[in-house]
Amino acid sequence: MMELMNLATGAIAALSLVACLFFLRYWRSTRDRFFLYFAISFGIEGVNRIAMGLTRQADEDTPVHYVIRLVSYLLILYAIVRKNIRR
């Protein structure tokens, strides 16, 4: 069962980093901060998953991982709210 958890953690980390690169490409072409915030968020999530896999702390309920994930999701929410606020 632990091997399956490590495989899933690695897959989530890889896909998060791919999403980070995807949004960085759009940020480079548009210079819209919306895409930059998404890229940072997915980058944080990818690095967090790599750290979870390397330290063998697959328990996602630990406070450290929870706070990192919360920051990542708050960045996405901030980007969405910032994009939709009228100036």
Side-chain angles (χ1 to χ4, degrees):
M1 186 67 175
M2 194 62 185
E3 293 84 15
L4 185 60
M5 290 293 292
N6 288 337
L7 178 68
T9 301
I12 293 170
L15 293 174
S16 294
L17 293 176
V18 167
C20 173
L21 293 175
F22 179 78
F23 284 114
L24 274 178
R25 187 181 74 178
Y26 279 109
W27 174 72
R28 284 187 62 191
S29 63
T30 64
R31 294 293 179 191
D32 189 352
R33 288 186 180 184
F34 177 80
F35 297 119
L36 180 61
Y37 289 132
F38 268 66
I40 292 171
S41 176
F42 279 102
I44 289 171
E45 180 64 21
V47 171
N48 184 34
R49 294 292 177 160
I50 290 171
M52 284 174 59
L54 293 177
T55 60
R56 302 197 184 277
Q57 292 180 343
D59 186 14
E60 297 179 18
D61 298 333
T62 57
V64 172
H65 299 298
Y66 180 77
V67 169
I68 292 171
R69 184 174 300 142
L70 179 65
V71 168
S72 175
Y73 292 159
L74 286 176
L75 270 174
I76 291 174
L77 286 176
Y78 176 74
I80 292 170
V81 168
R82 183 183 162 97
K83 184 73 173 180
N84 290 302
I85 289 178
R86 292 181 182 227
R87 294 182 187 182

